[in-house]
Amino acid sequence: GAGVSQSPSNKVTEKGKDVELRCDPISGHTALYWYRQSLGQGLEFLIYFQGNSAPDKSGLPSDRFSAERTGGSVSTLTIQRTQQEDSAVYLCASRPPALDIQYFGAGTRLSVL
Amino acid sequence: AQKVTQAQTEISVVEKEDVTLDCVYETRDTTYYLFWYKQPPSGELVFLIRRNSFDEQNEISGRYSWNFQKSTSSFNFTITASQVVDSAVYFCALSVPNRDDKIIFGKGTRLHILP
């Protein structure tokens, strides 16, 4: 596709359930980023992939959060045992090689009841 | 540590007025990038501009212009002759290349253009 694609666009889950959020980056983009946008916290960096490896996981808020990327393309962000404070919009971005501009998807709005 | 401050939480102007969104940044690095992104109601962050720290030349793109001043660590964004479609949340951001590659965002300014 033309842009970064994220699915689902909306996800409602019950507290304690696991969720998986998916990101399809722009074709040819080697770097991929996850951010979280919540009220009062602005946009927070979560994790960054270069190819399939994640050199920077410093932003993951707890060990309930994990992410993987396979084939240098699709990435999945997994949140285990969701809590109400996990409710937010999760944004994915990708970046082409040798260019410091990140292009964002429309995000997944996660609501934990 | 890097920090981006957008002091204006929310601004409302009447259509066709000019409006300036303020951005002040902090970093000890000499090489860095500054960005502006627009987030319309659809939620997607739309890239508007990137400036590197060695290029203080102001830039104009249609009704948009940016004023970068290293002396005051500011990177302000002006919309001339605003239109209702400019209504969105605007984020100023900073990144340091060859370090951790993450973008540090300001809290954003919500802009309302009233018809």
Side-chain angles (χ1 to χ4, degrees):
Chain A
V4 177
S5 177
Q6 292 188 247
S7 60
S9 54
N10 283 284
K11 176 72 176 178
V12 180
T13 190
E14 293 178 353
K15 179 181 171 181
K17 300 275 190 183
D18 298 351
V19 295
E20 284 189 354
L21 312 179
R22 177 187 168 106
C23 173
D24 277 284
I26 295 171
S27 178
H29 283 199
T30 50
L32 185 148
Y33 304 78
W34 284 98
Y35 294 85
R36 177 169 73 173
Q37 184 177 22
S38 49
L39 283 173
Q41 296 296 323
L43 275 151
E44 305 169 81
F45 167 82
L46 296 179
I47 189 170
Y48 147 62
F49 287 92
Q50 182 61 35
N52 291 334
S53 65
D56 190 352
K57 303 179 182 179
S58 63
L60 293 177
S62 76
D63 58 8
R64 296 187 295 105
F65 287 71
S66 63
E68 65 175 13
R69 189 180 185 197
T70 54
S73 181
V74 171
S75 176
T76 303
L77 177 69
T78 301
I79 309 173
Q80 295 178 308
R81 305 181 302 281
T82 52
Q83 304 293 314
Q84 287 183 332
E85 62 262 28
D86 299 333
S87 296
V89 176
Y90 290 83
L91 289 161
C92 176
S94 68
R95 176 175 64 79
L99 184 62
D100 286 283
I101 298 173
Q102 296 181 23
Y103 296 91
F104 284 79
T108 294
R109 181 175 297 278
L110 175 65
S111 299
V112 182
L113 304 178
Chain B
Q2 294 87 35
K3 184 179 179 182
V4 177
T5 301
Q6 295 179 256
Q8 303 150 309
T9 306
E10 203 158 345
I11 300 174
S12 294
V13 299
V14 176
E15 196 174 19
K16 297 182 185 176
E17 287 185 354
D18 299 347
V19 58
T20 295
L21 309 183
D22 298 333
C23 173
V24 174
Y25 64 91
E26 295 175 31
T27 181
R28 293 180 180 175
D29 297 273
T30 55
T31 302
Y32 51 89
Y33 292 112
L34 295 167
F35 304 83
W36 277 94
Y37 282 86
K38 174 183 179 179
Q39 188 176 42
S42 60
E44 185 171 340
L45 277 165
V46 178
F47 167 78
L48 295 178
I49 190 172
R50 181 197 70 166
R51 303 296 283 176
N52 75 55
S53 51
F54 298 108
D55 184 2
E56 283 192 79
Q57 204 168 21
N58 291 332
E59 182 154 341
I60 298 174
S61 177
R63 296 183 297 106
Y64 294 171
S65 62
W66 291 270
N67 183 298
F68 175 25
Q69 291 194 339
K70 286 177 78 170
S71 61
T72 55
S73 297
S74 65
F75 186 44
N76 296 339
F77 172 31
T78 297
I79 302 175
T80 304
S82 59
Q83 300 176 2
V84 172
V85 293
D86 295 328
S87 297
V89 180
Y90 290 85
F91 291 93
C92 181
L94 167 77
S95 74
V96 177
N98 303 319
R99 181 185 287 179
D100 48 28
D101 253 0
K102 62 188 174 189
I103 295 182
I104 306 300
F105 287 91
K107 297 283 190 187
T109 296
R110 184 175 296 277
L111 178 63
H112 301 278
I113 308 298
L114 308 172

